[in-house]
Amino acid sequence: MFLIEEELKKLPGKPGVYIMHGEKDEIIYVGKAVSLKNRVRQYFQSSRNKGAKIEQMVTHISRFEYIITDSELEALVLECNLIKEHRPKYNTMLKDDKSYPFIKVTLGEPFPRVLFSRRMKKDKSKYFGPYTSAGAVKDVIELVNKLYKVRSCNRTLPRDIGKDRACLYHHMKQCDAPCQGYISQEEYRKNIDKVLRFLNGDFKDTIDELTEKMMAASEDMRFEEAMEYRDLIQSIHRIGERQKITGYGQEDRDIIAVAMEESLDLREQDAVVQVFFIRDGKLIGRDHFYLRVARGDTKETVLSSFVKQFYAGTPFIPSEIMMQREIEDKEIVEEWLTARKGQKVHVRVPKKGTKEKLVELAVENAWMVLEKDRERIKREEGRTIGAVKEVERWLGLKNIVRMEAYDISNISGFDSVGSMVVYEKGRPKRSDYRKFKIKWVQGPNDYASMEEVLTRRFTHEGKNEFDSFSKLPDLILMDGGRGQVNIALKVLENLGIQIPVCGMVKDDYHRTRGLYYNNVEIPIDTSSEGFHLITRIQDEAHRFAIEFHRSLRGKEQVHSILDDIPGIGDTRRKALMRTFKSLENIRDASLEQLEHAESMNALSAKAVYDFFHAKNTD
């Protein structure tokens, strides 16, 4: 029994991370503290003005735990890792994780290459970026390889020189074939030096050289070749135009601003964070990030959370980060970023001049994105959160977050499979989808197969708290009416679990027509978002089961479930069927009976027995 008042007395006055758990023991919040004793106690003091988000979160805390660290910096690093791993409900969360590409020149190789990379490592390579467009990076790499005839193969040179024939790029005159020894290492390196100058933005020498070749080809009436040079020159000009001068210094810096607006969800609101990327004094791109933040969160809180999540996941950290508002833990964030970068990083809020204007521009762009996407966001909320609220209203339920839907697919014999799809807040959560091979039922018996699937699902013990089966749904949706609903209710009653069960009823044309709940069929408005959500869930459960079935048939794995048991080959499978006559008899046989069956031994008998009696999924 976890007694919060008693546990509060045991808190140490040391830095660390605290982890709040909800009613289902899920992690709902992660925070850091200079003093765990002082910080955690504040959540449970009624006299303090905690704000709407904290007030609501505290009502859901069933227990807390904590991890002591040696410093506040260590606590910050641990907090970032835990938030990224667990994605707690009450922490401000990025809705999408983005990684930005680099151009990598492998200077550690005798014959370097120019590559696309998502990570910047501490190696002998030279990295350019990060860039906001993967397509643009690929275009630049293609152009550079074509201009300077850089190899793109994976051969280890000079060890593999002459071992294989030259590739197609050499015959297309886009590679000097160092793999054949047609160019010396010294000459090849001169081309790489030109590549480095080009990637640093020095296009003049390259353009002059190409212009000279274009004119010479034109004079010799080699017009196709001249057109190729012309196209290369135009490509360089386009790349140059993408790099807009900001007019302030030659440093690397990011400019970050946030715009926030209330949403349909009374507990949450929308926010957009805009980031401008300035490299070597040039504005090379910008990007925006959607966040879901709790009502009552300030811009300072949102910016602080964003900075920690964003720079925990990106390999490049600029020397300066300019922000719209001062964040509370600026000093410790600077220390953390400095440690990650290996040199001093400044987090500043500019008050005047060019820097302030850049921040204002970022703010303006953040609001523009939010305004532009307002209708799209509202439509999306209508399709998801709004649709769930309609379902709640039809069924007389509240606080539906997680819905699980089940379906059975079969052809004949023991080819039945089951599917479980999961929707959270009206959106599919595909990482929690699960597939079942039917083990205990012979023949196309949908009711018995569904009973098996549900029994295995609700008696399965998740390997950890992030396992799909560790979370119970707020609503179970069955593909069918009274029969399927009664099967689910029977399984739940036997297991002592109380979860609402609703059937998705179809008409004679196999179209959803209503919901079966509490022994009553509830007609639903076919033009409503709730109806469209139910239809999507039903179709998704059916699709997932069918795809699983097809994949098994394609691998020729469905002809007999006995073939899935380790150690049971064709001979033992036939012997078992001769002895026991049916799959049900094999399933119901004791371990001793299996051991005395034809062609069986103790090891194979145990494998068969465990297969049919283990309560897990395949």
Side-chain angles (χ1 to χ4, degrees), residues 424-609:
E424 287 191 355
K425 294 185 178 181
R427 294 182 176 90
K429 189 177 183 184
R430 293 184 174 84
S431 60
D432 279 8
Y433 285 15
R434 290 297 181 267
K435 306 167 183 175
F436 301 81
K437 290 180 186 176
I438 303 304
K439 299 178 178 180
W440 310 340
V441 181
Q442 184 178 25
N445 187 332
D446 283 1
Y447 285 170
S449 297
M450 185 60 75
E451 183 176 0
E452 176 187 333
V453 166
L454 292 171
T455 301
R456 288 163 60 188
R457 184 268 180 262
F458 288 106
T459 55
H460 181 94
E461 295 182 2
K463 297 176 183 177
N464 55 58
E465 60 186 294
F466 312 111
D467 191 290
S468 173
F469 293 151
S470 67
K471 303 175 185 176
L472 292 180
D474 302 303
L475 177 66
I476 295 173
L477 294 167
M478 306 300 297
D479 185 37
R482 176 181 299 178
Q484 293 285 16
V485 169
N486 287 339
I487 288 293
L489 291 172
K490 172 187 170 185
V491 171
L492 294 176
E493 183 180 1
N494 290 339
L495 297 174
I497 300 172
Q498 291 187 339
I499 300 172
V501 181
C502 178
M504 299 178 287
V505 186
K506 292 183 177 180
D507 60 20
D508 294 337
Y509 299 98
H510 211 64
R511 296 175 302 198
T512 307
R513 76 175 185 219
L515 298 175
Y516 183 83
Y517 182 64
N518 284 344
N519 296 317
V520 176
E521 183 175 325
I522 303 169
I524 55 180
D525 180 3
T526 56
S527 63
S528 66
E529 290 293 351
F531 169 80
H532 295 313
L533 174 61
I534 293 296
T535 302
R536 287 197 299 273
I537 293 174
Q538 193 169 31
D539 291 344
E540 182 72 348
H542 187 62
R543 177 200 65 78
F544 194 53
I546 290 293
E547 283 190 1
F548 180 41
H549 200 277
R550 285 173 179 165
S551 71
L552 294 180
R553 293 204 313 271
K555 297 173 185 175
E556 297 182 352
Q557 291 178 338
V558 221
H559 56 283
S560 173
I561 197 168
L562 296 177
D563 292 329
D564 296 319
I565 304 175
I568 303 301
D570 189 54
T571 300
R572 281 182 175 146
R573 175 172 61 83
K574 291 177 180 177
L576 283 169
M577 292 303 294
R578 280 196 300 270
T579 303
F580 294 100
K581 308 303 181 186
S582 72
L583 195 65
E584 281 87 348
N585 291 339
I586 297 173
R587 182 196 68 194
D588 295 336
S590 67
L591 182 60
E592 184 180 0
Q593 288 173 319
L594 290 169
E595 287 177 352
H596 289 91
E598 180 186 347
S599 300
M600 298 293 285
N601 56 33
L603 193 63
S604 59
K606 189 174 186 306
V608 173
Y609 186 85

Side-chain angles (χ1 to χ4, degrees), residues 319-352:
S319 302
E320 184 178 42
I321 299 169
M322 299 194 302
M323 302 180 70
Q324 165 191 15
R325 298 284 183 91
E326 197 83 49
I327 59 175
E328 180 183 7
D329 47 0
K330 187 188 87 166
E331 288 77 14
I332 194 67
V333 169
E334 280 185 331
E335 187 179 350
W336 170 60
L337 292 173
T338 297
R340 288 208 68 217
K341 183 176 177 64
Q343 62 187 72
K344 185 64 179 175
V345 176
H346 298 279
V347 178
R348 296 190 171 111
V349 179
K351 303 297 184 183
K352 60 182 180 179

